[in-house]
């Protein structure tokens, strides 16, 4: 799968459907040789601790991707393999929050890091943004959101309501 378009319904059901599809994409991609090889290349010269590896992968995604919204009224999910292809051939990949989250999660999971997603609502209404979670040890889940260049590893946007899905 490279790019998929989805008509997921409305409201909470659509969010649940999207996050389940994302979970499937990450699980599949994290076992793909292209993703595994890229993840290993990113962390190859680093110490073998979870926090350092997770942060390096986060910085890679943040530096190689640009946030771009999906087409109007369309949920488009781009696979991590597709985004890595774009990075390799064009030097940059374009995607929205779910695409960048799936890329980061797939790369992290490919090198043994447990991951998840968090969908949030800033005002308590409809969930409208998703970012990744990575377990860096001692049951500590660290957020990562590569959609903005000024966000740091561990930064979490303010929210009034959230929903978590763990890929594990």
């Amino acid at each position: 799968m490279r790019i998929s378009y989805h008509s997921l319904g409305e409201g909470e059901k659509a969010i649940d459907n999207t996050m389940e599809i994302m979970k499937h994409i990450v699980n599949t991609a994290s076992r793909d040789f292209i993703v595994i090889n890229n993840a290993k290349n990113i962390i190859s010269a680093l110490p073998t601790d979870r926090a350092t590896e997770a942060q390096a992968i986060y910085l890679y995604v943040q530096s190689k991707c640009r946030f771009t919204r999906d087409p109007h009224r369309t949920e488009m999910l781009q696979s991590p393999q597709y985004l890595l292809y774009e990075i390799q051939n064009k030097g940059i990949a374009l995607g929205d929050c779910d695409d960048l989250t799936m890329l980061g999660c797939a790369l992290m999971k490919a090198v043994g890091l447990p991951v998840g997603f968090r969908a949030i609502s800033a005002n308590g209404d409809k969930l409208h943004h998703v970012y990744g979670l990575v377990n860096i040890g001692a049951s500590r889940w660290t957020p990562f959101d590569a959609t903005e260049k000024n966000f740091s590893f561990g930064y979490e946007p303010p929210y009034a309501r959230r929903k978590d899905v763990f890929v594990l």
Side-chain angles (χ1 to χ4, degrees), residues 32-43 84 107 110-111:
D32 183 283
F33 176 76
I34 292 167
V35 176
I36 294 168
N37 193 41
N38 273 274
K40 286 180 176 180
N41 286 339
I42 294 166
I43 67 165
L84 289 169
L107 289 166
V111 291

Side-chain angles (χ1 to χ4, degrees), residues 11 29-30 44 49 59 69 158 165 168:
S30 68
S44 63
D49 71 272
L59 292 171
R69 287 174 293 284
V165 171
L168 306 172

Side-chain angles (χ1 to χ4, degrees), residues 128-144:
H128 59 84
H129 181 58
V130 66
Y131 51 89
L133 300 169
V134 60
N135 186 309
I136 58 172
S139 298
R140 181 168 166 229
W141 290 91
T142 302
F144 63 93

Side-chain angles (χ1 to χ4, degrees), residues 89-116:
N89 290 288
K90 297 180 181 175
I92 191 167
L94 307 178
D96 70 351
C97 59
D98 47 47
D99 302 321
L100 304 188
T101 296
M102 289 189 300
L103 176 58
C105 284
L107 289 166
M108 289 179 193
K109 186 170 180 172
V111 291
L113 299 170
V115 294

Side-chain angles (χ1 to χ4, degrees), residues 1 18 22 27 41 43-44 48 54 59 62 68 74-75 81 88 93-94 102 111 115 119 132 136-137 144 146 154:
M1 179 187 341
T18 300
M22 289 172 62
N27 277 325
N41 286 339
I43 67 165
S44 63
T48 57
L59 292 171
Q62 188 180 48
T68 306
T74 303
E75 183 58 57
Q81 298 94 319
Q88 182 179 16
L94 307 178
M102 289 189 300
V111 291
V115 294
I136 58 172
F144 63 93

